[in-house]
Amino acid sequence: GFTRARAGEAEALVRLSRGLDRPGKLGFLTFVLPLILDSICHKIAPRVFGPNVFAMLQREGITFRGIIWRKRRDALLQFVLISVVLSGILSAATVTLRVALSMLGVSPRQVLKFAGIATAAAAAAFAYRILARTRHMAVADVLATKGGSVVKMATTVAK
């Protein structure tokens, strides 16, 4: 009866709660980063992107399975959005660099190899700074340390 009818919701609740309390890198990737992206995307396009998981848990009329489905949809849309933006930036940078290099008479291959290595090093350094501060902390500890603002934490780490 009731147990069978609610089994899917109970399973979804367990999945949600497990996803909210993972320490270290996995916690950052599965909880902190999605919270940051949810906050930014929801502010930019609230009709397209839902609020973060905590705001959705406080809404009446949405099931745990509904929250999981919506967050998966939002994550897919965020991935597509980030991919399109990065692709556009990369295309614009490539065209600009080729024009500048042809004007200077420098080989594009040499410069592009160096630029790729420099970009990868900068991204790795940024990720290391974030992860070094949160390595042995549970997600709740990270939020408490930074006054509850995940976006503020990422901005602080970036400085």
Side-chain angles (χ1 to χ4, degrees):
F2 180 78
T3 304
R4 284 190 193 132
R6 303 297 289 171
E9 284 299 295
E11 181 183 339
L13 178 59
V14 169
R15 270 193 271 145
L16 276 172
S17 67
R18 284 185 180 163
L20 299 178
D21 196 27
R22 294 180 177 145
K25 295 175 188 175
L26 187 59
F28 180 81
L29 291 174
T30 62
F31 178 69
V32 177
L33 184 61
L35 265 182
I36 294 168
L37 291 174
D38 285 345
S39 298
I40 294 169
C41 291
H42 183 66
K43 284 180 184 176
I44 293 171
R47 290 186 176 157
V48 177
F49 297 100
N52 69 49
V53 70
F54 292 120
M56 291 190 80
L57 285 169
Q58 294 174 359
R59 287 186 174 180
E60 290 186 29
I62 187 165
T63 64
F64 296 122
R65 287 187 283 189
I67 292 171
I68 288 174
W69 180 88
R70 180 64 191 256
K71 291 292 97 192
R72 285 182 181 166
R73 178 188 162 275
D74 285 353
L76 177 64
L77 290 174
Q78 289 165 355
F79 176 78
V80 169
L81 176 67
I82 290 168
S83 297
V84 167
V85 168
L86 290 178
S87 177
I89 291 170
L90 182 61
S91 295
T94 301
V95 169
T96 304
L97 186 59
R98 285 187 181 176
V99 169
L101 292 176
S102 69
M103 293 172 66
L104 297 172
V106 177
S107 168
R109 286 188 179 165
Q110 292 173 336
V111 175
L112 289 176
K113 285 180 187 176
F114 175 76
I117 293 169
T119 302
F126 177 74
Y128 177 78
R129 286 182 68 188
I130 290 174
L131 294 174
R133 291 186 184 190
T134 62
R135 182 178 310 150
H136 299 292
M137 299 173 76
V139 172
D141 297 332
V142 173
L143 292 175
T145 302
K146 296 299 175 185
S149 173
V150 178
V151 175
K152 189 185 300 179
M153 180 198 75
T155 307
T156 303
V157 171
K159 292 180 182 176

